[in-house]
Amino acid sequence: MKKVKIHITLKEGVLDPQGKAVQGSLNTLGYQSVEEVRIGKYLELILADDANVEEQVEEMCKKLLANPVIENYQYTVEEGVTQ
Amino acid sequence: MKFAVIVFPGSNCDRDMYHAAKDALGQEAELVWYQDATTLENYDAILLPGGFSYGDYLRCGAIASTSAMVKELRVQAEKGTPILGVCNGFQILLEAGLLPGALLRNKNLKFMCHHEGLIVKNNRTLFTTDYEQEEEISIPIAHGEGNYFCDPQTLEQLKANNQIVFTYSNNPNGSIEDIAGIINEQGNVLGMMPHPERATEDILGSADGLKLFTSMLKNWRESYVAGA
């Protein structure tokens, strides 16, 4: 088994109203040093051992998991995961 | 004229869309469950209603855009069949890549449901010929993620090809250039956040949306029914 950890983040220049609201709240709590918050998604996939995991994950991100118009993605593949 | 109203799990404006085509416009309409039809060959126009397909999981419209029904939509889009996507239907068209850009959370993070003023920016599409150019109309919006976004190059293309069909008079959600609705280059796929199907009779507060449907009907008659 392989575990794939995927981070999906908003591209630079894409407005993140949710991040802005959270930043405002952090500032209200007294954390004045917080200048920006950007909110993204984190996904974990368990994949059967396969020769081309990277290629498949790349495709999955492009086709469905991320929207390339507004989002970037990054992932890592961990070997030898037991469920 | 025969309309297909595509129903996904979580669609909730399908009946409104059906009512607009069937009762307000007085044409044939059928609700088509997304798994039931392998072809949409027998319909003259396709309506993608609003709602929350697949509970808006992952991103609005993302899951629906991977369905076999959307594959068939691509075939029909290519063939020139008129396709109207409203609200979640617009989100599905964007996720499917049938229209350019994406929709983000509303700038104020709120779900908004009220009438908005729209300006008709292009009345030379098959969906808008019954409107005057620059006509201001009142159509309800009902969305939490209707903030239209695209990169600067795409925006230039949209402008150059006259693909911006509707803009907001008072931008409620932060959309770039006040965009409320866009059409594809070919001119047969229109996506918009406001709900014309909810404004087809005066008793609903506005009948301004009806002209969108009458435009579709007139243009269909002109192009497909010789001598009608």
Side-chain angles (χ1 to χ4, degrees), chain A residues 17 21 41 64-67 70, chain B residues 58-59 95 104 107 109 149:
Chain A
K41 287 177 198 145
L64 178 66
L65 302 180
N67 179 344
I70 47 171
Chain B
L58 193 64
R59 294 179 309 279
E95 282 288 342
L104 306 169
K107 206 172 173 181
L109 289 171
F149 175 86

Side-chain angles (χ1 to χ4, degrees), chain A residues 30-81:
Chain A
Y31 301 105
Q32 297 302 333
S33 58
V34 180
E35 287 172 7
E36 193 181 15
V37 176
R38 307 278 288 168
I39 295 179
K41 287 177 198 145
Y42 172 68
L43 292 83
E44 281 183 359
L45 273 55
I46 306 286
L47 270 76
D49 279 309
D50 195 299
N52 51 9
V53 170
E54 300 252 346
E55 197 181 308
Q56 285 190 5
V57 172
E58 190 71 35
E59 264 184 41
M60 290 180 210
C61 288
K62 283 201 180 110
K63 281 191 189 164
L64 178 66
L65 302 180
N67 179 344
V69 179
I70 47 171
E71 294 169 328
N72 290 323
Y73 57 86
Q74 276 184 313
Y75 57 84
T76 53
V77 181
E78 283 177 17
E79 303 285 338
V81 179

Side-chain angles (χ1 to χ4, degrees), chain B:
Chain B
M1 187 176 188
K2 194 170 174 185
F3 289 86
V5 179
I6 310 300
V7 186
F8 287 101
S11 297
N12 68 6
C13 302
D14 41 332
R15 305 280 159 160
D16 298 15
M17 202 63 116
Y18 177 85
H19 174 73
K22 179 90 175 173
D23 305 318
L25 190 63
Q27 295 298 301
E28 279 184 78
E30 278 174 12
L31 293 167
V32 181
W33 179 242
Y34 79 116
Q35 286 175 319
D36 285 353
T38 48
T39 174
L40 296 171
E41 206 62 42
N42 300 325
Y43 298 96
D44 302 307
I46 301 160
L47 306 172
L48 294 178
F52 300 85
S53 59
Y54 296 91
D56 278 354
Y57 293 166
L58 193 64
R59 294 179 309 279
C60 306
I63 310 284
S65 77
T66 64
S67 63
M69 179 55 88
V70 169
K71 256 188 215 162
E72 173 59 13
L73 276 184
R74 281 182 218 283
V75 174
Q76 295 302 325
E78 185 73 25
K79 274 184 54 188
T81 307
I83 300 176
L84 168 68
V86 168
C87 200
N88 190 228
F90 184 20
Q91 292 164 338
I92 293 169
L93 291 173
L94 292 166
E95 282 288 342
L98 284 165
L99 289 171
L103 289 156
L104 306 169
R105 288 283 289 274
N106 291 343
K107 206 172 173 181
N108 63 4
L109 289 171
K110 286 180 183 148
F111 183 94
M112 291 182 288
C113 187
H114 57 251
H115 276 256
E116 273 293 335
L118 299 186
I119 315 280
V120 179
K121 289 313 242 189
N122 181 353
N123 77 336
R124 293 174 307 285
T125 78
L126 70 89
F127 302 93
T128 52
T129 42
D130 278 353
Y131 294 107
E132 300 295 324
Q133 183 73 9
E134 298 295 324
E135 183 175 340
E136 181 160 3
I137 57 176
S138 174
I139 305 278
I141 60 162
H143 61 249
E145 304 198 21
N147 178 352
Y148 182 78
F149 175 86
C150 64
D151 61 45
Q153 297 92 302
T154 307
L155 185 60
E156 281 317 303
Q157 280 174 359
L158 288 177
K159 285 183 184 169
N161 303 328
N162 261 324
Q163 287 174 257
I164 302 172
V165 179
F166 297 108
T167 56
Y168 297 106
S169 312
N170 299 298
N171 192 340
N173 54 25
S175 294
I176 52 167
E177 301 271 332
D178 305 327
I179 288 174
I182 56 169
I183 197 160
N184 64 342
E185 257 189 273
Q186 211 184 322
N188 64 313
V189 180
L190 173 70
M192 60 193 293
M193 283 317 290
H195 290 266
E197 80 282 7
R198 292 192 193 178
T200 53
E201 295 162 77
D202 289 326
I203 198 170
L204 297 172
S206 163
D208 290 351
L210 186 59
K211 284 192 214 165
L212 192 148
F213 295 94
T214 56
S215 299
M216 289 177 81
L217 178 59
K218 273 187 200 164
N219 286 294
W220 172 78
R221 279 189 176 143
E222 274 168 30
S223 23
Y224 297 103
V225 187

